[in-house]
Amino acid sequence: MLSYDHARQKVIEVARARRRAPATELAELGQAFDRVLAHRVIADRDYPPFDRSTRDGFAVRAQDVGARSGTLEIIGEIKAGDTFTGVIGPGQCVQIMTGAAVPPGADAVVMIEHTKPSKTRVVIERAVEPGQNIVPRGSEAKASQVLLETATRLGYPELALAAQVGEHRLQVFRRPCVAILSTGDEVVRVDEIPGPFQVRNSNGVSLGVLTALAGAEPVPLGNAPDRAGPLRGLTERGLEADVLVLSGGVSMGKYDLVEMVLRELGAEFFFDAVAIRPGRPTVFGTCRDKLVFGLPGNPVSTMVTFELFVLPAIDILGGAAPRPLPFFRARLAAPVSQRAPLTHFLPAQLNWTTGEPVVSELPWQGSGDIVTLAAANCFLVVPQAKLELAAGEWVDVFPRRGMF
Ligand code: AMP
Ligand code: MG
């Protein structure tokens, strides 16, 4: 059975091989957050475009003051945005504001706090180094330099950078469409009153939200009963999207028909089990040239396996690089012990109250228990290779999306 990282690698490999250059669309900067850039962004000029003062103070010639203090003649004033035509000569200076261009002749700015100005003269009270409090022209970026590469995911600094260079609209890759189909005779719509042994379709909701958070367009297809005919019909509809994600019907039960129906439709499978809990019976394949995931129906399994396996596929089809799993290390509060030789993802609480990250497993009822997951802010990862973890050990933590 594949480990989760090998299974992930497989998904990445298959998604890359199937990736067609996604179509692009134009997005206003305000609408482009988290989209994937479809071209490079180039510096339209040097940044900063002039030698920029980083302080309110006086623009001086360092050599006039040097290691001593000194008195200089004030020959003018420069605000941010001003053009100053004069040249600073020996013994002269100009009052300057933050963000203004340092005038020719000056090579340092002295903070106002280190001076004693009068009307026409100023006493500089500290030693002055050439270059101090000046960001030289072109030191952040040179004109024509590539600032953002194609395939960059656009966060707030990237959008601010695009704005800075005047790209008020960006070409971004079209979001991939992800069809979401749950299965199960016992599953009813969330606005229905379930019978005593029925469950509401919570997976439709979690998968829709996770899909949107991943940067794709969810196409909700509702629920298919555990009968080959209707399941086949809805599966075929799902194959019109870029990715089809099914939930349920992938275990060994008599009515777990997803793999069979997909096989009849010509699917090729790359794995149908992964050495994880929850989520072991996860199925991944291609069908009619589309990526198909059959995720186990237990709600926590569905969410964990989406994050582990579907997310990198969406990244790739959306024109980006697959985001790495954002694992980090935390100290374990109490010992943890698992029996099954699988990598376990246990709902857990992470806190920093002692100044370092400490993680505590939450008692839970297994992969159907969304009540506990909603009280967790992360998964504690118990690796297959080490099922007994002692209190105080550093362990892997997989944050719940949006929690940190
Ligand atoms: P399955 O993977 O089909 O064997 O389903 C495993 C468990 O998950 C069963 O207890 C189902 O009732 C539950 N389940 C399946 N699909 C959903 C769904 N869409 N929403 C909530 N629970 C589900
Ligand atoms: Mg089922």
Side-chain angles (χ1 to χ4, degrees), residues 182-183 186-187 199-204 223 247-251 256 296-299:
S182 79
T183 71
E186 77 283 27
V187 178
V199 297
R200 295 189 181 93
N201 184 3
S202 67
N203 288 348
N223 184 70
S247 82
V250 290
S251 312
D256 289 325
N298 263 312

